Amino acid sequence: MPVARVCVDVPLPHLDRLFDYLVPGDLDETAQPGTRVKVRFAGQLVDGWLIERAAESAVPKLAYLEKLVSAEQVLTPEVAELARAIADRYAGSLADVLRLAVPPRHARAEQAAPPAESDDAPPPAPVDTGWADYQAGEGFLRALAEGKNPRAVWSALPGEDWPARIAEAAAATLAAGKAVVAVVPDARDLDRVDKALTDQLGKDRHVTLAAGLGPAKRYRAFLAASRGQVRVVAGTRAAAFAPVHDIGLVVIWDDGDDLHAEPRAPYPHAREVLLTRAQRAGAAALVAGHARTTEAQLLLETGWAREVVGDRATTRRRTPVITPTGDDPQLARDPGAATARLPSLAWEAARAALKADAPVLVQVPRRGYLPSVSCATCRAPARCTACSGPLALRSSHAVPACRWCGRVAGDHVCPHCGARGLRASVTGARRTAEELGRAFPEIPVRTSGRDEVLTEVPAAAAVVVATPGAEPVAEGGYGAVLLLDTWALLTRADLRAGEEALRRWMTAAALARPGAGGGRVVVVADGSVPVIQALLRWDPGWYAARELGERRELRFPPAARMTSLTGTAAAVADLLAAVELPPDAEVLGPVPADQDQERYLVRAPRGRAADVATALHAAAGMRSARKTPQPVRIQVDATDLF
């Protein structure tokens, strides 16, 4: 097999194919599929991946491989085929996906890592587990232990120790002699899953993969999975490509979190990577979370997966008391509570929890102090005179400044009414914490957000103000959870506004002490709104089915496939002129985008998604072959459509 077929690490779409090179005699044994090489390409020495060896080539005259970077076969055949499938699905290039799938080489870590495979016997399947509280939960675990490939959408109950349930599923899969890949949104969740896996499996039976580990530690963990030393990998979105052998289960927790969406081309979503991998490998799949996305609901309605939920009696028993305040919530009479915008119900719930020496969680959907201000007289949004960006206040003593250009606006005058006063349009987490400190003067107030994210808080009286996604876990659960400024989430101009609001509220409410006699959740909203109804009944499946039905009627994702095309007007027009879309694909737009760019949306039935992706990738290849200077950003299943 003297011919090496190489994926050259060049991101140009028209070069998205394998190129043939000759293998020198001294590299014949070491230059194997999955190794990194360097080749001469267009007069330059570039990196590449040796994908396969062949006996002959259609090219009459071939150049030789310049160098073997490493004999380590870090790209397994299964991951290479998966990367090709993901590139095709997202209208991208194989080189871009491989850059996401395999971390950069760390030579010292590669030389220090032990080469031998682990000979440890797999642990026995867990017997007594928390899956008994769910319909079909024990059956799902039993099927994993028998080496089958069950596929489930799991809606976790309030107060659930979900990392322990994932660890039990991993142990059952290991008992069948198969490997596991579990993906979570962020490092805090990964730490919890890491601890649960250690408790369930023992030490050195799994590794974690995340960018925050650092180059050396991350590469050592990657090699441990690639060399077969461990069979369980947990990590953030890039871990979806972990090179485990004989994969038996893929898990994704909280698949609605936008951290699962890759911000680099070709912008794959971890859920789709894992589901594609499970489908191709015949592995089991678990899509899990407190809430449920419409994509997960579609898996159920098409029969691809089965629902794992608690029955109504168990759900009622474990759900804390959740109370809405209504359309016009009456503020508490206490002056401090009124200043903090706390309705009477929220004030009473917080005061009772603090009196019982329990922490109180307050979720605020905006960070900062006053991230948005308006005229105190006419309520017109306050804008910067230089760039028209929104003005904001960083503290109680700060001068208004623009959030876009940073220009100070100390002499701001409303252009509509001439008034100089400003009022809060949106109250941030820091301002809320300041107001709550006055409402509860003897209670410590802590904040958790972008500047400092808390992981855990003790089981003592305290007020914790957190932005969505930064809520710390309280020992024993929170005595009260207050969901403020709900309108800020519900009124966002976003297709997923209701779905995202429910996901964030359920995630916070699940941290309360479970059961009717436990914590109390107060949501400042009208209880007749459908998304609030789903929260009150703790029924994310009902809302997901309702949302999916509406999107089917409107032909919105995931019932249809949407692809976003963003670029200058001339560039996007050039791409659309070159592309040959299927006849039932529909082009919507243009609409203005950032920085003098335009955006079009290409809508097509789900059955034509592959044809649309292929056509767009081919058109992008034609443009790059012509060396067109202005690029077009192609995003399949973009999360921010509107």
Side-chain angles (χ1 to χ4, degrees):
M1 299 289 179
V3 177
R5 290 183 174 151
V6 177
C7 172
V8 181
D9 193 4
V10 177
L12 298 176
H14 71 285
L15 301 178
D16 184 28
R17 59 187 179 88
L18 302 184
F19 292 87
D20 291 352
Y21 289 85
L22 286 176
V23 180
D26 58 335
L27 299 180
D28 184 56
E29 294 185 1
T30 53
Q32 297 299 317
T35 56
R36 308 176 199 251
V37 296
K38 284 188 177 292
V39 296
R40 188 69 60 178
F41 190 84
Q44 296 181 342
L45 194 63
V46 299
D47 295 325
W49 298 93
L50 201 164
I51 302 299
E52 61 184 12
R53 296 277 294 267
E56 56 185 14
S57 173
V59 180
K61 187 176 181 180
L62 298 178
Y64 282 92
L65 294 177
E66 289 285 336
K67 180 182 179 182
L68 179 69
V69 176
S70 170
E72 188 76 35
Q73 294 173 257
V74 290
L75 182 61
T76 65
E78 189 243 347
V79 174
E81 294 173 3
L82 172 66
R84 180 70 267 174
I86 295 301
D88 293 341
R89 186 195 186 285
Y90 284 94
S93 300
L94 176 61
D96 288 336
V97 180
L98 292 179
R99 209 175 297 120
L100 302 175
V102 183
R105 179 175 180 254
H106 195 281
R108 187 176 300 174
E110 186 174 283
Q111 295 167 2
E117 291 191 4
S118 174
D119 295 327
D120 292 342
V127 180
D128 296 326
T129 72
W131 287 97
D133 286 341
Y134 298 90
Q135 295 176 342
E138 290 182 311
F140 174 74
L141 215 63
R142 188 165 50 250
L144 291 177
E146 295 172 356
K148 298 179 181 178
N149 60 340
R151 297 161 181 169
V153 173
W154 171 39
S155 298
L157 291 170
E160 181 62 86
D161 185 6
W162 58 266
R165 303 292 84 79
I166 292 177
E168 290 163 358
T173 307
L174 276 183
K178 295 189 176 183
V180 180
V181 172
V183 175
V184 295
D186 55 37
R188 291 190 311 140
D189 291 334
L190 182 57
D191 290 341
R192 296 182 63 188
V193 173
D194 181 25
K195 182 180 182 302
L197 288 171
T198 301
D199 294 342
Q200 180 71 42
L201 306 178
K203 292 184 178 180
D204 302 325
R205 300 300 298 267
H206 76 282
V207 293
T208 58
L209 277 177
L213 296 176
K217 189 174 181 180
R218 181 187 179 192
Y219 195 62
R220 280 197 299 268
F222 182 88
L223 290 178
S226 175
R227 294 176 177 180
Q229 295 163 351
V230 296
R231 310 198 74 179
V232 178
V233 175
T236 50
R237 58 177 177 260
F241 294 97
V244 295
H245 300 279
D246 193 15
I247 187 167
L249 172 66
V250 299
V251 181
I252 183 167
W253 171 259
D254 199 9
D255 65 303
D257 196 311
D258 57 6
L259 292 176
H260 285 303
E262 176 61 53
R264 295 170 293 178
Y267 319 105
H269 194 285
R271 177 189 55 240
E272 303 306 319
V273 175
L274 290 173
L275 296 182
T276 301
R277 190 170 188 179
Q279 181 72 23
R280 296 177 62 87
L286 180 63
V287 180
H290 290 293
R292 183 182 299 173
T293 60
T294 49
E295 286 80 7
Q297 182 65 26
L298 185 63
L299 296 177
L300 296 175
E301 295 189 8
T302 56
W304 195 87
R306 184 175 176 181
E307 188 178 49
V308 176
V309 296
D311 58 45
R312 292 313 303 169
T314 304
T315 302
R316 283 193 295 268
R317 175 171 52 85
R318 294 185 54 173
T319 302
V321 176
I322 305 176
T323 309
T325 59
D327 269 336
D328 187 19
Q330 181 182 0
L331 293 181
R333 295 181 180 180
D334 184 276
T339 303
R341 302 167 290 113
L342 284 183
S344 297
L345 281 173
W347 165 256
E348 293 170 1
R351 186 174 60 176
L354 295 173
K355 187 176 180 180
D357 199 28
V360 174
L361 174 64
V362 182
Q363 187 193 71
V364 182
R366 294 287 190 272
R367 63 177 181 267
Y369 191 76
L370 292 180
S372 178
V373 293
S374 59
C375 176
T377 303
C378 68
R379 307 291 179 91
R383 295 284 182 179
C384 175
T385 56
C387 69
S388 298
L391 298 184
L393 285 172
R394 299 183 182 274
S395 69
S396 58
H397 305 293
V399 179
C402 179
R403 290 171 53 193
W404 290 1
C405 67
R407 188 183 299 266
V408 175
D411 57 347
H412 172 75
V413 178
C414 178
H416 302 282
C417 67
R420 291 181 176 273
L422 295 173
R423 68 183 300 274
S425 297
V426 176
T427 303
R430 291 215 321 270
R431 173 64 178 267
T432 302
E434 182 182 290
E435 294 171 346
L436 288 171
R438 291 193 291 265
F440 303 103
E442 298 180 358
I443 302 298
V445 179
R446 307 181 68 183
T447 60
S448 180
R450 184 179 66 174
D451 296 333
E452 181 186 6
V453 178
L454 303 177
T455 303
E456 296 179 349
V457 293
V463 177
V464 181
V465 182
T467 52
E471 302 91 347
V473 178
E475 184 181 351
Y478 287 96
V481 175
L482 313 182
L483 306 176
L484 304 184
D485 296 339
T486 54
W487 57 269
L489 292 177
L490 287 175
T491 57
R492 290 188 309 141
D494 194 297
L495 175 66
R496 302 176 183 271
E499 177 184 314
E500 177 68 6
L502 181 61
R503 185 186 72 82
R504 293 181 175 185
W505 295 338
M506 296 188 83
T507 300
L511 298 176
R513 293 177 177 176
R520 187 175 180 184
V521 179
V522 178
V523 51
V524 183
D526 179 15
S528 64
V529 178
V531 65
I532 304 297
Q533 282 289 310
L535 176 64
L536 299 180
R537 301 199 305 265
W538 203 268
D539 194 356
W542 168 80
Y543 184 78
R546 184 180 187 275
E547 187 79 3
L548 181 59
E550 292 179 352
R551 294 191 196 177
R552 277 201 179 99
E553 294 181 4
L554 299 173
R555 297 176 60 207
F556 282 162
R561 282 285 176 81
M562 288 274 202
T563 301
S564 171
L565 309 177
T566 307
T568 63
V572 180
D574 182 47
L575 177 69
L576 290 174
V579 70
E580 296 182 6
L581 294 172
D584 46 0
E586 182 181 6
V587 179
L588 309 175
V591 294
D594 295 335
Q595 300 177 352
D596 299 326
Q597 293 188 332
E598 290 184 350
R599 180 167 69 170
Y600 284 83
L601 294 176
V602 179
R603 177 166 60 184
R606 290 184 61 85
R608 288 302 191 104
D611 297 336
V612 171
T614 300
L616 288 173
H617 185 54
M622 293 173 58
R623 295 187 73 246
S624 70
R626 298 199 310 262
K627 299 183 179 180
T628 307
Q630 296 175 328
V632 176
R633 182 177 183 178
I634 302 175
Q635 278 187 279
V636 179
D637 294 341
T639 56
D640 54 342
L641 291 176
F642 305 112

